[in-house]
Amino acid sequence: MTRTPRTGPGRGWLLRLVIAFAFAQGAVSMARPAVSYRALALGADEAAVGVIAGVYALLPLFVAVPLGRRTDHGRCAPLLPLGVLLISGGCAVSGIVSSLPAMAAWSGVMGLGHLCFVIGAQSIVARQSAPDEQDRNFGHFTIGASLGQLIGPVAAGALISGQGGALGRTSALALLVAAAVAAVALASLWRIEHRREAGPGGRPGDKVPVRAILGARGVPAGIFISMAVLSATDILTAYLPVVGEHRSIAPATVGLLLSLRAAATIACRLVMSPLLRLLGRRALLTSSCLLAGLLCAGVALPVSVPVLAVMLAVLGFCLGVGQPLSMTTVVRAAPDRARSTALALRLTGNRLGQVAAPAAAGLIAGAVGVAAPFVLLGVGLIGAAGLGLRGDGRPEPSPAPLGTGSVPPLETEPAQAPPGTESALAPPDPVPAAVPQDTPARGGPVPPTARKGAEYPG
C-alpha cells in the first residue's frame, strides 16, 4: 500500500518557534531574579519583593481567557511579536525606574508579554500539528522554555554578582541585557503561522462558555497535572538552596544540582517520541507523575550529595513529561472552537499555582520544616498520576490526520467520499453483478474489498 503524502506545512516553523521561545523565556528567566535584586537595592523588604514578584503572575490572570477567545477566532501569530515587545519593554523600563510601585507595574507588563507569547505559540502548535504529532511537537516546543530556564538564571547571576557588589547598577544592567535578549526573538518570528483552513465555529460570536470547557472530561485533569508539575519545578528551584543550607551543601553544588535537573528535562523532551511509541501516552504520563511524586518526597530524606544528584536527574526527566502531554490532553479534550481558550485556562491554572504554591510552601516550611513542602508536592504529583490514568477527554480513535492512511469505520458523509467508493446518493450501478459482491448492507460493516478503495485521509 502506498502512503499518502503529507500536504501540510513542514517543520521549519516549529524550529523557528522553539528558537524564539528560548530567547523570550531566557529573557524572563534573567529578568525575574534581577527585578528582585534591583528592588532590594531600592530599599524593598522581603514582603515588597514578594508583592512585586506576585504581580508578574497575578496581572495575566485577568486577560488570559479573553486572549484565548480572541485566538480561537483569529490568527495566533500577532500575539508573538506583541509578547516579545512587552517582555523587552518591561525588562528595559524595570532597569531604569527608581520606584517600587513602578517596578511592580512593569513586572506585570513583563508577565503579560510572556502570557501573550505563550498563548499564541501554544495555539499555533495545536493548530498546525496533526493529532498524532501533537505530543512530539509540544515536547519540542517546550525545549525552548527549558533552554531559557537553564541559561537565563546563570547569565543573570554572572551579571549581577560580577561587578563588585554594586547591586543597583548590576541588576539594572542585567535587566537591560534581558531586554536585548528578548528582542532577538523577533528575528525568528517569520512565516510561523500558515493559512488556516475554515473550521467549525469560526465566527467570533460562537463562544463556548468557560464552564463548558472546564466540564469537558480531560480539561480539569490536564490543568491539574500542569499545575502539579510546574509547582514542583518552582518549589524545587526555590527551596533546594534552603535544604542545601540545612545540610551544609555549598551553594555552587546546589546550582549544579539545579542545572542537572534542567538538563534532564531537556533530554526527556528530546526523546519524547520514542518514549511515546514504547509506552503510550497514558502510561508515560501516569508513570512519570508517579515516579516524580516519589522522588520529590524523597528529596526530604537526608541522603548524600551523589544520591541526591541521581534523584534530581531522574526527577527532572520525569518532570519533563508533564507539561507537553498536559497541553495535548487539554487540546484533545476541549471543544474544537475553544482550544486556545482551554490552553489559556491551563496557563491561568499555572499562574495560580505559581502564586499559591510558594506561599503554601513558606507557611508549611515555617511550621513543620523545610522538607515538608517536598512531601506535599510529592502527594500532589501522585494525585496527578491518578488523573493521568483517566486518559484523554475524547474517545479514540479520533478522525485521522492528513496522510496517516487511517480508515473510518463507516463513511457518513457521502459527498466527501473519494473516487472509487460507492455513495448512497449515487445512481445505481449499471452492472448489477457487482452489487452483491462489493456493496455492504446499509449500516453494516465494510468488507475488505470495499474498504481497500475507501482508504483516504479523513
Side-chain angles (χ1 to χ4, degrees):
M1 180 189 302
T2 59
R3 183 177 178 85
T4 306
R6 286 184 57 88
T7 60
R11 296 184 62 199
W13 63 270
L14 182 59
L15 176 61
R16 293 191 294 275
L17 190 60
V18 170
I19 293 172
F21 195 20
F23 280 102
Q25 184 65 55
V28 170
S29 299
M30 286 182 65
R32 295 202 69 190
V35 164
S36 297
Y37 282 117
R38 180 154 176 80
L40 290 172
L42 293 176
D45 56 11
E46 289 80 0
V49 171
V51 170
I52 293 173
V55 172
Y56 171 89
L58 283 175
L59 183 60
L61 293 178
F62 301 100
V63 296
V65 172
L67 279 176
R69 290 203 184 281
R70 178 232 172 259
T71 308
D72 275 321
H73 303 290
R75 297 180 63 226
C76 309
L79 286 178
L80 303 183
L82 174 62
V84 170
L85 291 175
L86 290 174
I87 292 171
S88 185
C91 293
V93 180
S94 294
I96 297 173
V97 298
S98 57
S99 70
L100 296 179
M103 286 204 68
W106 286 102
S107 177
V109 170
M110 189 196 314
L112 179 61
H114 187 262
L115 180 77
C116 289
F117 187 95
V118 173
I119 288 179
Q122 289 184 4
S123 299
I124 287 176
V125 176
R127 187 174 292 176
Q128 296 186 174
S129 301
D132 61 339
E133 296 177 340
Q134 286 175 346
D135 287 325
R136 181 198 66 191
N137 288 355
F138 275 124
H140 289 174
F141 166 71
T142 52
I143 289 175
S146 299
L147 287 172
Q149 291 166 356
L150 177 64
I151 299 172
V154 177
L159 289 170
I160 294 171
S161 63
Q163 298 190 15
L167 195 59
R169 180 168 55 86
T170 56
S171 59
L173 174 63
L175 285 166
L176 294 176
V177 172
V181 170
V184 174
L186 293 172
S188 296
L189 297 179
W190 52 275
R191 296 183 62 186
I192 293 288
E193 186 176 20
H194 296 267
R195 186 179 297 275
R196 183 184 182 188
E197 297 180 359
R203 295 169 299 179
D206 295 339
K207 293 183 178 180
V208 180
V210 171
R211 182 179 299 179
I213 299 172
L214 293 175
R217 185 182 178 215
V219 171
I223 292 174
F224 182 82
I225 291 170
S226 180
M227 285 180 61
V229 171
L230 185 63
S231 297
T233 304
D234 281 357
I235 298 304
L236 188 67
T237 303
Y239 276 86
L240 191 63
V242 182
V243 172
E245 187 69 19
H246 279 73
R247 299 182 190 175
S248 300
I249 302 175
T253 304
V254 172
L256 289 175
L257 291 173
L258 290 174
S259 297
L260 179 63
R261 195 281 310 163
T265 298
I266 295 174
C268 168
R269 289 165 181 172
L270 287 172
V271 297
M272 185 75 71
S273 294
L275 286 175
L276 287 167
R277 287 194 296 268
L278 179 65
L279 300 175
R281 71 183 319 275
R282 184 183 301 184
L284 179 60
L285 184 59
T286 302
S287 60
S288 65
C289 287
L290 179 60
L291 184 56
L294 296 175
L295 288 170
C296 202
V299 173
L301 300 176
V303 297
S304 64
V305 172
V307 174
L308 185 60
V310 174
M311 291 173 61
L312 288 174
V314 180
L315 176 58
F317 193 92
C318 293
L319 291 176
V321 174
Q323 292 287 32
L325 291 194
S326 69
M327 294 179 198
T328 309
T329 298
V330 169
V331 166
R332 291 184 176 182
D336 291 337
R337 295 173 295 155
R339 288 180 173 177
S340 295
T341 306
L343 287 170
L345 288 170
R346 175 187 168 276
L347 290 173
T348 301
N350 286 351
R351 290 292 192 268
L352 286 173
Q354 285 181 304
V355 174
L363 291 175
I364 295 172
V368 182
V370 295
F374 295 99
V375 177
L376 179 64
L377 290 173
V379 172
L381 286 167
I382 292 172
L387 290 175
L389 284 174
R390 301 179 62 184
D392 296 335
R394 292 189 180 185
E396 296 289 346
S398 58
L402 186 64
T404 59
S406 301
V407 183
L410 181 64
E411 181 59 51
T412 58
E413 297 184 7
Q416 297 179 356
T421 56
E422 295 286 335
S423 171
L425 300 179
D429 195 326
V431 185
V435 175
Q437 293 180 358
D438 296 333
T439 305
R442 183 175 180 85
V446 180
T449 54
R451 188 184 302 125
K452 183 176 181 181
E455 290 178 350
Y456 67 98

